[in-house]
Amino acid sequence: MRSEGLRPETRVVHVPQPAVEGSRPIAMPIYQTSGFAFDDPAVMADAMGRSDGPFVYGRYTNPTVRSLEQAVAGLEGGAAAIATGSGMGAINTVLLGLLKPGDHLIAQTSLYGGTAAMINDLVGRFGIAVTYVPENDPAALRAAARPETRLVYLETISNPMTLVADLPGMCAAARELGIVSVVDNTFATGLLCRPIEHGADIVVHSTTKYLSGHTDVVGGIAVFASAELHEKVWHFAIELGASADPFAAWLSLRGMQTLALRMERHCSNARHLAGRLAAHPAVSAVHWPGLPSHPSHELAGKLLSGFGGVLSFDLAGGRPAGEKFMSSVRLALLAPSLGGVETLVLHPATTSHRSLSADELARNGIGEGTVRVAVGIEHPEDLWADLSGALA
Ligand SMILES: Cc1ncc(COP(=O)(O)O)c(C=O)c1O
């Protein structure tokens, strides 16, 4: 638009847009705009109802957000994705987008505390029934299925006990029964495991964690194996309004570029610490799927191309020992979350899994002396010096 002849009050509103021709930016620009203008009313009307049309409005998607959606869908081998403002936003977009009162959900017993709390809410307030089954038992899934079962919900590597789900067996059972399978792949990322290749219909992530990797953004994403399922949930997503912000999407995109390097180091550091913790007299058990003693070790060897960067361990001295340990670390930070470059420790029973009852905590194997370590990318000897100092 030409600005000559317009008054200053109008000119400050209608800022010029750069026309980039003959080259393109290497880094994805942040499209910090809430909406898009059209020349043709018919094109605009058509765009409002389609997930794959021209950009319309920030709650629908945005070029920076779509770039993240395409990058994660590509990594996971999915048809399309919906980026959201948090991991819980992605999980809720899928659960609320596909379930209705009277439906039944099958979930694995060991789940992230926020997801477990949401499922309890669905049961208590939305009239949805749930049955919990072990993450590696397709026969239990078949036995739990009812005519009204709509969803099966799994975690590739569970939080915080690092149990690995039998994705091929569980997703195949769900598919035979006509039930949609949803897998939280936050701990593994598409670099260590791609659930869609093992039969999953939807993959969800907290991009806050490894995908972004720098502890500077909260975000989530749901990736869909089929365009049809994506389209169905997308219509609900724009009603729900759980959409990602362009700057947050940009931070996640930038973080993802170093995911492979970071994941390699997270996994090798976790191996280093898991082995040394297992040999320490103050530690009664270490939960990391790379250890031969871990119940998922064999399955993890087949499904994952690395055993992940999160481990948990039980202190022989129980809760007092756990509290002493967490106030004694100097390098590792006592903090929520995981997947960033810094090593973080927390006490799941009173933080990430505080919504679980004593019975539910016991069912998940989370004890009073269980400590979770989200292993960062520091030098492994500095990390061991810190953890062993705190144990001493
Ligand atoms: C496995 C897993 N899924 C989902 C979430 C929720 O993600 P967000 O905190 O980004 O909402 C978390 C958060 O810790 C998590 O660990």
Side-chain angles (χ1 to χ4, degrees), residues 250-320:
W250 181 84
L251 283 169
S252 299
L253 268 174
R254 194 175 66 153
M256 265 183 76
Q257 292 178 305
T258 55
L259 178 64
L261 292 174
R262 287 185 286 105
M263 245 10 230
E264 219 176 287
R265 181 66 168 236
H266 285 297
C267 292
S268 67
N269 275 358
R271 174 181 294 287
H272 187 87
L273 296 181
R276 294 178 90 163
L277 284 166
H280 198 283
V283 174
S284 56
V286 179
H287 313 282
W288 185 66
L291 291 176
S293 57
H294 190 280
S296 306
H297 179 63
E298 204 188 314
L299 178 63
K302 290 185 202 144
L303 267 190
L304 310 176
S305 57
F307 294 106
V310 177
L311 61 86
S312 295
F313 63 93
D314 301 332
L315 282 161
R319 175 95 172 238

Side-chain angles (χ1 to χ4, degrees), residues 96-114:
L96 296 173
L98 293 176
L99 292 170
K100 61 179 185 329
D103 282 350
H104 176 239
L105 160 76
I106 299 175
Q108 75 176 49
T109 318
S110 182
L111 285 175
Y112 165 59

Side-chain angles (χ1 to χ4, degrees), residues 85-89 91 112 114-115 153 155 157-159 184-187 204-209 217-220 337-338 352 372:
S86 69
M88 288 310 299
I91 293 166
Y112 165 59
T115 308
Y153 192 94
E155 290 180 1
I157 306 176
S158 74
N159 182 356
D184 184 330
N185 201 32
T186 299
F187 273 40
V204 290
H205 277 279
S206 166
T207 54
T208 314
K209 312 297 194 286
V217 61
V218 172
S337 203
L338 58 109
S352 57
R372 188 185 80 186

Side-chain angles (χ1 to χ4, degrees), residues 195-207:
I196 289 172
E197 288 176 5
H198 300 291
D201 295 305
I202 303 175
V203 171
V204 290
H205 277 279
S206 166
T207 54

